[in-house]
């Protein structure tokens, strides 16, 4: 028998969709994903230390604890949870067919895709070590930049796109100085963002440079730069490193079943809606949002996806 709704993914979007779907008596099933070296159930918040900007937690909360609370809340309404990945889907006929990493076949009347996106990293061993230990390396300035550890420090941002500029500008509120390290001598960011960065006295640029190592034991003390012109290396002292080199949405398993945009994010048919190119399939959270990328916006779209799925199922007479 086909499940009424299957939710793929277990970040704020997935759990919020589950809470709404469960309270609408849709008996949701969540495939929370298998832990791997690139993703864990709970998604990007599992790599975040303190979350200070999610409303309702006036003293802040650890990302891992927050995801556990989301999960507990969805369980309270009898959501069924499987710690498996969905490895492939077939949305060409209805009910939809899904295959799990344990090789089980599942049928669904509606699907919410909430598999998130992963921040791109430089993939340097010390970068990863300090990012996971809360040692001053982050891929989200908006999430972490206001933490006391970064106050009045020299902060380095890597990247040359709109995110790098936006994050750099945001960090100037707290930092003594922000140094933007970019691998070319020209920014990819939109002209208006470039103008703002250049006009900001707290921002400096290191052009034609890449970070080849992150220095420091428990806390970051600096970065090693290499010139992309002559390969010369130099050390730069800093108290924080923010990587802003884009995100990769987790959409490979969809294998052409849903329309994606040019960067692989799921396109929705209308703005402010979560319906995808396939009727009955909805998308929520960072997998469909390259723009806001916040826990609270992901949770919001998770709610929207569950409501849209419920309305669609009712409209089609399927529940
Ligand atoms: P992006 O536009 O893809 O820019 C990524 C940047 O990272 C590029 O400058 C790229 O360098 C650099 N980069 C990529 N891989 C690298 C590596 N391995 N080492 C060093 N540098 C690397 O990504 P984004 O800035 O996250 O923006 C994503 C989308 O959101 C864009 O469409 C953007 O316009 C939009 N956005 C808009 C706003 C706004 O309007 N306020 C704010 C944020 C994001 P190259 O330039 O050399 O390729």
């Amino acid at each position: 028998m086909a499940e009424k709704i299957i939710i793929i993914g277990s970040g704020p979007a997935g759990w919020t969709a589950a809470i709404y779907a469960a309270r609408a008596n849709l008996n949701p099933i969540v495939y929370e994903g298998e832990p791997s070296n690139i993703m864990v159930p709970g998604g990007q918040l599992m790599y975040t230390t303190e979350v200070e900007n999610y409303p309702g937690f006036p003293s802040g909360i650890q990302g891992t604890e927050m995801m556990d609370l989301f999960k507990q809340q969805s369980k309270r309404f009898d959501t069924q949870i499987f710690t498996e990945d969905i490895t492939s889907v077939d949305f060409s006929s209805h009910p939809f067919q899904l295959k799990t990493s344990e090789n089980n076949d599942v049928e669904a009347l509606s699907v919410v895709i909430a598999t998130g996106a992963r921040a791109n990293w430089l993939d340097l061993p010390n970068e990863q070590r300090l990012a996971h230990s809360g040692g001053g390396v982050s891929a989200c300035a908006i999430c972490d930049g206001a933490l006391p550890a970064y106050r009045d420090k020299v902060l380095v941002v890597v990247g040359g796109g709109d995110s790098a500029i936006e994050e750099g500008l945001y960090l100037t509120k707290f930092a003594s100085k922000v140094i933007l390290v970019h691998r070319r001598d020209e920014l990819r960011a939109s002209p208006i963002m470039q103008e703002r960065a250049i006009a900001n006295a707290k921002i400096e640029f290191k052009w034609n440079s890449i970070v080849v190592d992150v220095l420091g034991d428990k806390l970051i003390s600096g970065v090693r730069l290499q010139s992309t012109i002559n390969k010369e290396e130099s050390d730069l002292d800093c108290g924080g490193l923010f990587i802003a080199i884009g995100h990769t949405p987790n959409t490979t398993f969809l294998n052409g079943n849903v329309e994606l945009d040019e960067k692989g994010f799921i396109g929705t048919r209308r703005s402010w809606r979560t319906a995808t190119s396939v009727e009955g399939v909805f998308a929520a959270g960072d997998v469909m949002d390259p723009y806001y990328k916040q826990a609270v916006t992901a949770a919001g779209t998770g709610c929207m996806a569950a409501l849209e799925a419920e309305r669609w199922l009712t409209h089609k007479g399927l529940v």
Side-chain angles (χ1 to χ4, degrees):
M1 202 182 71
E3 306 297 341
K4 290 179 202 148
I5 185 164
I6 283 185
I7 297 162
I8 316 172
S10 55
W15 292 129
T16 306
I19 292 163
Y20 273 78
R23 293 185 77 251
N25 289 336
L26 294 179
N27 314 108
I29 313 258
V30 172
Y31 282 89
E32 66 170 349
E34 274 180 353
S36 75
N37 57 350
I38 52 163
M39 246 328 143
V40 292
Q44 292 191 81
L45 279 171
M46 303 302 281
Y47 301 107
T48 305
T49 46
E50 184 144 13
V51 180
E52 287 187 328
N53 55 7
Y54 199 97
F57 299 97
S59 313
I61 181 166
Q62 294 294 305
T64 47
E65 192 189 344
M66 184 167 149
M67 280 304 89
D68 189 49
L69 291 174
F70 272 57
K71 183 173 176 175
Q72 296 312 324
Q73 192 170 347
S74 85
K75 276 183 162 171
R76 181 178 151 204
F77 302 110
D78 293 334
T79 295
Q80 274 194 74
I81 300 164
F82 292 94
T83 309
E84 289 177 59
D85 287 334
I86 294 295
T87 50
S88 65
V89 297
D90 181 354
F91 294 157
S92 61
S93 58
H94 195 261
F96 304 123
Q97 311 291 321
L98 297 87
K99 197 174 260 313
T100 78
S101 45
E102 307 269 311
N103 225 16
N104 295 316
D105 293 307
V106 209
E107 284 193 341
L109 298 177
S110 70
V111 173
V112 173
I113 304 166
T115 44
R118 40 187 198 279
N120 296 337
W121 293 90
L122 300 171
D123 286 329
L124 301 168
N126 285 328
E127 169 208 46
Q128 291 303 298
R129 180 176 59 79
L130 290 168
H132 290 159
S133 66
V137 178
S138 162
C140 182
I142 311 294
C143 317
D144 298 332
L147 295 174
Y150 297 112
R151 300 276 158 136
D152 301 318
K153 302 265 173 69
V154 174
L155 303 179
V156 167
V157 177
V158 180
D162 279 321
S163 293
I165 301 296
E166 189 172 70
E167 303 208 353
L169 287 166
Y170 178 76
L171 291 172
T172 60
K173 295 177 205 284
F174 320 105
S176 58
K177 185 159 63 172
V178 172
I179 303 177
L180 273 159
V181 173
H182 184 36
R183 62 186 177 183
R184 295 186 291 133
D185 62 357
E186 200 185 352
L187 293 169
R188 177 178 296 281
S190 50
I192 187 161
M193 297 295 278
Q194 298 196 25
E195 280 165 27
R196 279 183 204 157
I198 289 161
N200 192 308
K202 274 193 176 180
I203 294 189
E204 274 180 24
F205 291 91
K206 280 269 179 204
W207 302 108
N208 300 310
S209 302
I210 54 170
V211 173
V212 288
D213 199 2
V214 182
L215 312 174
D217 180 19
K218 287 202 168 59
L219 285 178
I220 184 171
S221 60
V223 289
R224 181 153 300 151
L225 301 181
Q226 186 183 71
S227 158
T228 52
I229 295 172
N230 57 19
K231 304 266 182 234
E232 239 173 57
E233 291 193 351
S234 58
D235 289 353
L236 175 65
D237 291 345
C238 67
L241 172 65
F242 292 86
I243 311 295
I245 59 172
H247 284 74
T248 303
N250 300 313
T251 47
T252 318
F253 72 102
L254 294 171
N255 200 19
N257 277 265
V258 173
E259 274 175 28
L260 307 177
D261 71 12
E262 69 284 355
K263 288 196 170 161
F265 290 87
I266 298 178
T268 50
R269 283 189 303 179
R270 289 168 59 190
S271 56
W272 289 101
R273 288 287 190 278
T274 63
T276 68
S277 57
V278 181
E279 251 199 78
V281 177
F282 304 85
D286 287 8
V287 75
M288 50 78 87
D289 167 27
Y291 193 75
Y292 297 106
K293 304 173 275 189
Q294 300 300 300
V296 69
T297 49
T301 52
C303 156
M304 290 158 65
L307 291 178
E308 280 184 66
E310 185 204 356
R311 284 170 197 169
W312 182 81
L313 289 165
T314 307
H315 175 70
K316 291 282 174 189
L318 294 166
V319 291

